Amino acid sequence: MRYLHLIIALAAPLVAASACRPPKWRVGQTVQTSSGAVEGHAASTASEVSEYLGIPYAQPPVRALRFQPPVRYNGKGKISGKSFGPACFPSNISAYDADFPQELIDVYGITEVGRRILATITNPGIPVSEDCLTLNVWTKPQTGEKRKPVMVYIHGGSFVSGSSAVPAYNGQFFADEEDVVLVTINYRLTFFGFPGNPHGHQNPGLLDQRMAVEWVRDNIASFGGDPKRITLFGESAGGASVDHYSFAWPHDPIVAGLISMSGTASGITPRPASLATSLWYNTTRALNCGDAHTPPSTQLTCMQSIPAPALLATLLNTISAPHSTPYSPTIDNHLVFTTPSHHPTAPLPLLIGTTDNESGLFRIFVPPQPHLTPHQETTFWHAQNQINFVCPAAARANRSAAEGIPTWRYRWHGVFPNTELARTPPSGAYHDSEVAVLFGTVDGSVVGEVEGQREVGGYMRGAWAAFAREPWGGLEGGGGWPRYVAGEETLVRLGWEGKPGASVVRGDFYDDGC
């Protein structure tokens, strides 16, 4: 093992590019887009950043457009840009208001910070609607490069919850500190995004993501972004979406780089078509829209006419079990494949990683099993880490590196008082614990930052932005991150001992059982 502080050299590029700034940029100025004229405003904290919220990129997927591929939104009117668009419908709205069970709070020693974190999983206070296909942009064109690298973030939520309006994903600090344009998107979730209709489109939610990327390609230059330097990144279901994207559009990816955080196409297992079909017909029967013997066009028309709340009432409640994904990408062998490793992927630089204890989040949703000893439970959850996250990430990184594609792999170890979830056992660096640190949006209202925490987040933002600035070598040339090789010291540990920089170990150091 060796320890080194790999500091990303950003100052020189920014100074060199200053001569290329736009002649004038007024914070929040109106920007002309294919969706219309979008009015902006100053971000809440980073007041030199222009924030544009709730921009429609696709027509409302309602009535005849429900369960269909997205249709591009073109508009000539004004868009206020003041508020996030509604979240896309989850599987069960009533679960949004459910309190986390007190008995599990007691059993696992869930902290006050942890209770706040758990509350955010179900997007409290965020409106929901079937008309939800919007995106958000943060930019600071008055400084730095004239055409900045662009980072498009896909949120997680097990494909059944989540929203670009979640406070953790606010992009103002990325745009303020790293000279990038940051974009977050909504996409259809649960049955609306992954309906399972055997005679229709299986994965509209993934097509939404693609259309959002197309919108960015066509419009981001007006916000100071470089359409040739778009990096697609996401966490959990978002990380899996990034991976699916690379297989779905191998020859026309649009984007220049991929960052997959705690999620791969094979780790967050896609649904077999048979399961998707079964869930589709379960719902059609419940809504009196027929079954497998009903003419497909008649059935679809019926399903498109059902009010959304009535449809939602028939779905499985998945919010209370975020590790279960009955509504998720479906194997159609067009966008989603039975064995992704047998299909080509976009030959793009890849940054991929996991947290040190992914199951630290999922474990607390499951009551302790009385027939298991503590050691057996620990062994079980470690195996879940390996099966669902670590080994799939290792396989994806190994494939990318073997094909000669620049590949970097990391593991998140950061544990801080204001991100602590549970104590019995300690949740450690659990699934999703790095996201708010990365975005600089950790809630410090209960427990403030500790020494070095802000620097850890700043270091990560610098690394992610260095990758976006030059995916083929920015991490390597800017700060010395080694390209990933399984048998060499190339796996970068982030947040190690709560310090900025990186501790580097063998690439396969954590790959037991793989």
Side-chain angles (χ1 to χ4, degrees):
M1 301 182 191
R2 57 195 174 96
Y3 188 89
L4 60 156
H5 290 281
L6 306 175
I7 303 300
I8 308 300
L10 299 177
L14 294 185
V15 172
S18 61
C20 300
R21 296 174 189 168
K24 186 176 182 180
W25 179 272
R26 178 175 52 82
V27 173
Q29 71 180 44
T30 297
V31 176
Q32 298 295 327
T33 75
S34 59
S35 297
V38 187
E39 300 172 342
H41 55 272
S44 59
T45 301
S47 59
E48 291 301 305
V49 171
S50 297
E51 181 176 73
Y52 301 85
L53 306 178
I55 305 170
Y57 66 84
Q59 294 182 28
V62 299
R63 295 181 289 277
L65 295 183
R66 180 187 283 175
F67 308 132
Q68 300 298 315
V71 177
R72 178 118 185 198
Y73 182 92
N74 290 295
K76 296 183 179 179
K78 289 187 177 181
I79 300 168
S80 73
K82 294 180 179 178
S83 302
F84 290 100
C88 294
F89 275 130
S91 293
N92 189 317
I93 293 180
S94 63
Y96 270 36
D97 300 320
D99 293 328
F100 196 79
Q102 184 63 45
E103 59 270 24
L104 294 183
I105 291 175
D106 296 336
V107 165
Y108 290 116
I110 296 175
T111 65
E112 184 177 353
V113 167
R115 290 195 289 273
R116 283 178 175 249
I117 292 170
L118 291 171
T120 66
I121 288 176
T122 52
N123 305 359
I126 297 176
V128 296
S129 173
E130 196 172 356
D131 178 4
C132 60
L133 299 183
T134 61
L135 53 77
N136 318 291
V137 179
W138 289 266
T139 187
K140 189 179 176 182
Q142 64 268 34
T143 63
E145 293 188 73
K146 181 179 179 180
R147 290 288 177 259
K148 305 177 189 299
V150 182
M151 303 183 69
V152 179
Y153 184 72
I154 304 177
H155 69 76
S158 298
F159 296 105
V160 299
S161 68
S163 165
S164 65
V166 170
Y169 312 146
N170 191 291
Q172 62 180 306
F173 302 113
F174 254 116
D176 189 40
E177 299 172 16
E178 302 303 337
D179 198 37
V180 301
V181 179
L182 199 289
V183 180
T184 61
I185 69 172
N186 282 350
Y187 57 97
R188 279 173 284 181
L189 306 168
T190 188
F191 192 74
F192 294 94
F194 308 97
N197 180 2
H199 302 288
H201 298 277
Q202 302 279 1
N203 297 295
L206 298 183
L207 295 174
D208 293 343
Q209 296 169 4
R210 171 70 175 193
M211 181 158 285
V213 171
E214 292 174 352
W215 188 97
V216 172
R217 175 198 61 197
D218 296 342
N219 291 282
I220 208 64
S222 297
F223 295 89
D226 184 350
K228 295 182 179 179
R229 287 193 294 168
I230 301 171
T231 289
L232 190 64
F233 76 125
E235 188 270 342
S236 189
S241 295
V242 170
D243 204 17
H244 283 302
Y245 186 99
S246 72
F247 288 101
W249 289 280
H251 307 301
D252 181 27
I254 298 176
V255 302
L258 306 168
I259 303 178
S260 181
M261 304 164 57
S262 297
T264 59
S266 58
I268 299 179
T269 311
R271 292 187 301 179
S274 58
L275 173 59
T277 296
S278 175
L279 291 172
W280 169 263
Y281 285 134
N282 285 348
T283 306
T284 61
R285 284 191 294 268
L287 294 168
N288 297 316
C289 287
D291 55 22
H293 303 291
T294 305
S297 60
T298 301
Q299 185 176 78
L300 178 61
T301 299
C302 177
M303 289 292 286
Q304 291 173 330
S305 69
I306 300 293
L311 193 157
L312 286 163
T314 71
L315 303 183
L316 297 178
N317 180 357
T318 59
I319 298 294
S320 62
H323 55 285
S324 176
T325 53
Y327 304 109
S328 62
T330 301
I331 296 170
D332 59 5
N333 289 311
H334 175 60
L335 300 176
V336 180
F337 301 95
T338 305
T339 309
S341 60
H342 294 172
H343 294 269
T345 183
L348 298 175
L350 174 67
L351 172 58
I352 188 168
T354 60
T355 71
D356 188 52
N357 184 31
E358 301 278 2
S359 292
L361 171 63
F362 305 120
R363 181 172 186 169
I364 64 172
F365 288 86
V366 181
Q369 304 301 300
H371 63 284
L372 298 179
T373 66
H375 175 73
Q376 289 172 324
E377 285 218 47
T378 298
T379 300
F380 170 81
W381 287 108
H382 175 72
Q384 296 302 302
N385 286 339
Q386 302 302 103
I387 293 168
N388 296 315
F389 298 101
V390 177
C391 295
R396 185 67 178 86
N398 288 335
R399 173 183 173 170
S400 179
E403 293 177 350
I405 299 170
T407 305
W408 290 270
R409 187 178 173 196
Y410 72 90
R411 188 175 176 101
W412 168 251
H413 291 264
V415 178
F416 302 102
N418 57 12
T419 65
E420 183 184 34
L421 187 62
R423 293 174 178 168
T424 54
S427 52
Y430 55 88
H431 186 78
D432 191 55
S433 63
E434 83 283 26
V435 174
V437 179
L438 170 64
F439 277 83
T441 53
V442 175
D443 181 357
S445 61
V446 176
V447 178
E449 291 181 332
V450 296
E451 183 178 356
Q453 182 178 357
R454 184 181 298 270
E455 289 73 20
V456 168
Y459 177 84
M460 290 180 68
R461 284 190 293 283
W464 266 234
F467 177 89
R469 186 166 292 110
E470 176 45 68
W472 287 87
L475 275 175
E476 189 175 35
W481 276 41
R483 291 194 187 188
Y484 173 73
V485 178
E488 299 179 11
E489 289 193 357
T490 57
L491 186 144
V492 175
R493 297 191 295 194
L494 298 170
W496 180 253
E497 297 179 338
K499 299 175 182 178
S503 167
V504 181
V505 296
R506 273 179 58 104
D508 56 5
F509 186 80
Y510 296 99
D511 294 349
D512 57 280
C514 300

